[in-house]
Amino acid sequence: MTDTSGRTVLLVDDEPQLLDLYESFLQDTYEVITATSGTEGIAASNERDVDVAILDRRMPGLSGNEVLEELRNQDPSVKVLMLTAVDPDFDIVSMEFDSYLNKPVSQSELISNIEELLALESFTSTVREYHALLRKEATLRQSKTTVELKRNDTFENLEDKIADLEATVGNQIDPTDDETFVSSLRNVEAGGLDDE
Amino acid sequence: MSDTTPEQFRYTVPEELERLDRSGFAPSTNALITGPEGSGAHELAIRALVSGGPDEGKILVTTQIPPAEIVDTYRELSSDGSLSNLHVIDATGLQGDHSGGEDTDPVVSTVTTITDIGISITESERLLDADRLRLGFLSVHPVLDVVEPDQAFSFLYLLTTRVEQSGYMGVFTVRTDTIAPKTIHTFEHLFDGVAEMRPSNPDEPTVQLRGFGE
């Protein structure tokens, strides 16, 4: 399960009643920011670190598609969920969102989708850590003898941690699911989390 | 990794890639073929795809060799010259220098990002509609020219785990004369076995295997 503490969700929808409803769905689990227009949503994301943005597609002024583009320009790693009454058409192929849901949506469905998006972020972070430890292991293997490595507790701990991370990362996402696979790749390409 | 399916299906592979078990690769196997330029790594990888049966799908991603050249080699190595069930993904434009050359018949897509490689793989899988599939990735090193090593590692992680969890067979190549040994060693963790091409004799390169069948 992804740690949701301190996660911020940005909700953008021009219908105040829906915003209120979705906010009530999410406010016990996440920190929620609401915006009633695309312009307001972009401004909010400039001021705060947003983990997941939930966008209505059809809005007066900036559309959800335009907000999506702007958010991607600002921060390619932000996860974007399109939540809309617009049935998906072939135009979605070129849109860089991470998930798509049709209204109406239940609380459990919405939270479940957000959790999947946050899991992508966790995956990126874990696989990065896994890679960093493997690099350390490779460095030690190049500079130490087999006997030195076998006798060293620190190296043994390193190998244990690598095995743990290998198991953890393997459970975080399902790469056989096309949407997860592509979203994960997009996340990797965007650089994932900020450099630590 | 590498569990056999109930029917004990195995992917047939060139003899250089077999060791203890002479009956081929179990489904979900990922192999890495390493070697310097001209070592025969690419040819061995293509032969690993060619050796598949007619009911198997084959997806070949090329990041460096022009797709037309890849297709010619594939056709030459195929016993009947057939290109059936082959999809080639042209990723030679990853580094932004794609010449926009002519598309060859089995080329289904031309891509310029690692995300698009993934999208094209999913599309090819759908079009091929084969339960058994071989993925060839020639070669990994240009990916390192466009993304950081940790991103390349994550990209390979996603590809190899997709192969593994789908019961496919994956063959990836990497040039050892362009990538630091430490980076290659790190990548090796993602594979079930490594075939190291040693071109001591250009006409007959030796292959050292690690991991397969052990």
Side-chain angles (χ1 to χ4, degrees):
Chain A
M1 192 72 175
T2 309
D3 178 13
T4 57
S5 58
R7 301 300 192 141
T8 302
V9 175
L10 169 65
L11 280 167
V12 186
D13 199 306
D14 61 311
E15 294 184 53
Q17 300 94 326
L18 282 178
L19 267 189
D20 289 346
L21 177 67
Y22 298 145
E23 186 177 19
S24 71
F25 282 176
L26 304 177
Q27 63 191 4
D28 290 341
T29 314
Y30 312 102
E31 190 165 338
V32 181
I33 310 169
T34 59
T36 53
S37 71
T39 308
E40 205 181 304
I42 289 167
S45 73
N46 273 326
E47 288 168 13
R48 301 276 297 277
D49 283 337
V50 171
D51 297 293
V52 177
I54 299 176
L55 308 179
D56 183 21
R57 281 188 78 179
R58 196 178 289 153
M59 295 185 287
L62 284 181
S63 70
N65 298 10
E66 290 169 313
V67 178
L68 167 65
E69 271 187 39
E70 184 56 32
L71 290 180
R72 282 275 175 256
N73 289 336
Q74 282 179 10
D75 178 5
S77 69
V78 69
K79 309 297 169 296
V80 179
L81 165 61
M82 305 305 286
L83 178 57
T84 171
V86 181
D87 282 332
D89 206 340
F90 292 107
D91 63 338
I92 66 167
V93 173
S94 58
M95 291 169 59
E96 295 190 353
F97 56 77
D98 298 292
S99 190
Y100 197 103
L101 277 180
N102 277 106
K103 293 175 181 174
V105 66
S106 68
Q107 181 179 23
S108 59
E109 199 178 357
L110 189 55
I111 289 180
S112 162
N113 265 267
I114 293 170
E115 289 296 297
E116 283 175 18
L117 296 182
L118 292 174
L120 287 182
E121 193 176 81
S122 296
F123 162 78
T124 309
S125 172
T126 309
V127 80
R128 262 187 171 185
E129 191 181 352
Y130 177 44
H131 174 257
L133 293 185
L134 287 174
R135 298 274 297 180
K136 287 178 183 173
E137 186 205 35
T139 302
L140 289 172
R141 284 193 184 280
Q142 280 183 336
S143 62
K144 302 287 183 188
T145 66
T146 308
V147 174
E148 284 175 317
L149 294 174
K150 273 189 176 172
R151 285 179 182 161
N152 189 280
D153 289 343
T154 305
F155 187 74
E156 195 178 324
N157 290 338
L158 175 65
E159 295 216 296
D160 288 345
K161 196 162 183 191
I162 287 171
D164 288 345
L165 278 177
E166 190 176 346
T168 303
V169 75
N171 291 324
Q172 283 180 322
I173 60 159
D174 174 11
T176 62
D177 176 77
D178 288 354
E179 196 172 296
T180 303
F181 179 61
V182 171
S183 292
S184 303
L185 286 170
R186 185 173 292 126
N187 201 40
V188 165
E189 186 149 34
L193 298 173
D194 294 338
D195 287 331
E196 288 153 27
Chain B
M1 285 189 192
S2 306
D3 289 336
T4 54
T5 53
E7 68 271 24
Q8 298 294 305
F9 167 78
R10 316 263 314 174
Y11 288 96
T12 54
V13 292
E15 65 179 313
E16 297 98 312
L17 291 178
E18 295 180 330
R19 182 186 267 172
L20 299 175
D21 189 338
R22 295 265 163 196
S23 56
F25 283 176
S28 307
T29 297
N30 282 293
L32 179 66
I33 304 175
T34 69
E37 186 172 19
S39 64
H42 286 156
E43 186 184 310
L44 181 56
I46 294 173
R47 283 202 290 130
L49 262 71
V50 167
S51 56
D55 57 334
E56 294 176 25
K58 294 115 186 175
I59 299 173
L60 219 163
V61 182
T62 174
T63 60
Q64 191 186 27
I65 305 170
E69 195 178 318
I70 289 264
V71 169
D72 284 348
T73 307
Y74 187 99
R75 191 183 276 117
E76 282 167 19
L77 293 171
S78 169
S79 57
D80 59 359
S82 169
L83 301 174
S84 64
N85 286 352
L86 171 67
H87 280 191
V88 177
I89 296 170
D90 176 6
T92 55
L94 266 187
Q95 291 151 298
D97 56 356
H98 189 255
S99 59
E102 296 169 24
D103 279 355
T104 318
D105 183 36
V107 175
V108 292
S109 51
T110 301
V111 299
T112 55
T113 69
I114 60 173
T115 303
D116 287 343
I117 290 174
I119 292 170
S120 290
I121 287 172
T122 62
E123 286 169 355
S124 291
E125 286 173 352
R126 255 195 305 277
L127 290 167
L128 288 164
D129 192 26
D131 292 335
R132 293 164 185 164
L133 194 142
R134 296 170 187 240
L135 171 69
F137 195 100
L138 286 63
S139 167
V140 169
H141 69 273
V143 176
L144 283 158
D145 291 335
V146 292
V147 295
E148 297 298 319
D150 65 322
Q151 291 171 293
F153 179 84
S154 302
F155 169 69
L156 290 175
Y157 179 91
L158 286 164
L159 257 56
T160 53
T161 50
R162 187 172 173 94
V163 165
E164 182 190 329
Q165 293 183 21
S166 303
Y168 300 155
M169 179 187 121
V171 182
F172 296 66
T173 64
V174 64
R175 262 179 60 184
T176 48
D177 52 342
T178 56
I179 300 182
K182 191 164 71 176
T183 301
I184 294 173
H185 176 81
T186 308
F187 288 171
E188 285 177 1
H189 281 264
L190 301 173
F191 296 88
D192 297 286
V194 178
E196 190 181 336
M197 308 294 287
R198 297 189 168 179
S200 50
N201 174 351
D203 295 329
E204 202 174 328
T206 57
V207 184
Q208 179 164 345
L209 301 183
R210 280 177 280 131
F212 298 111
E214 293 172 348

